[in-house]
Amino acid sequence: DGGITQSPKYLFRKEGQNVTLSCEQNLNHDAMYWYRQDPGQGLRLIYYSQIVNDFQKGDIAEGYSVSREKKESFPLTVTSAQKNPTAFYLCASSSRNRAEAFFGQGTRLTVV
Amino acid sequence: GIQVEQSPPDLILQEGANSTLRCNFSDSVNNLQWFHQNPWGQLINLFYIPSGTKQNGRLSATTVATERYSLLYISSSQTTDSGVYFCAVISGGSNYKLTFGKGTLLTVNP
C-alpha cells in the first residue's frame, strides 16, 4: 500500500535518553515534515525537508535533530536537550508539483 | 511568518444540524488544506483548496484567497463528525512550510 509509515506507534523512554522516531514514505514525495502535538493543542512544526540532504528548522526545532539521506526516509531524533519531550509526533509528506500533504498515523512518545 | 486563525475554537451541535467553520490567514497562500483529526489522532485529508469551492458528500469548502479566508461547511452532522478540524496553509513566500491553525473542536451529540 502507498502511504506514510511511522513507527513505533507508542514509545516509552527514560529521561535523559535520546530516541529516534521513524518516518518512511513510498509516495515518491519530495517534501517531508515533522510536527509535534500536545494534548488539546494544534500542530507545531519541528523540521521540514524539501529535498534529499537538505532540511530547515521549523518553529520549535530546539532539542530535536533530523536527517534526510534518502528520499523515502526522514527520521526524527528527540535529544536529551528537549525539555518536555512527551507528546504526539506526526510525520507528513507532499509532492513538489501538488503540495497537498498527507500524514502518517503518529507516534506517542512518553518520557518518564 | 503567516498567521492562521480558526473559529470558533469549540462547537457543540445536535445530530442533524449544520455548521460553518472558518479559517483566516494573514498572507497569500499557495496551498490550503482542511483536515479532520480522528479519535486515534490521525489526520484525515478533507479538502485541498487554495481557492474556489469543492464538495464531498455532506462536506463542502470555499476559499476566497483575495480576502484571505476559507470556510468548511458540514451539513446534517453525524456523531462520527466529532473531532478536531484543522486548517493548514503554505504561504506564497514559502514553498513548503505548512502552518496549522489551532483547530475547532466539534462535538456532535445524538
Side-chain angles (χ1 to χ4, degrees), chain B residues 47-88:
Chain B
F47 293 102
Y48 169 78
I49 187 166
S51 63
T53 298
K54 291 186 177 180
Q55 181 156 6
N56 184 3
R58 295 181 297 103
L59 274 59
S60 64
T62 295
T63 297
V64 184
T66 54
E67 298 187 20
R68 299 182 182 170
Y69 73 89
S70 182
L71 302 174
L72 177 68
Y73 305 96
I74 304 174
S75 64
S76 303
S77 58
Q78 301 175 357
T79 56
T80 52
D81 294 331
S82 296
V84 183
Y85 289 80
F86 288 106
C87 169

Side-chain angles (χ1 to χ4, degrees), chain A residues 70-91:
Chain A
K70 297 187 299 181
K71 189 175 185 178
E72 304 79 27
S73 178
F74 192 40
L76 173 74
T77 296
V78 185
T79 75
S80 56
Q82 169 50 234
K83 296 190 187 310
N84 296 298
T86 294
F88 185 49
Y89 291 88
L90 284 154
C91 176

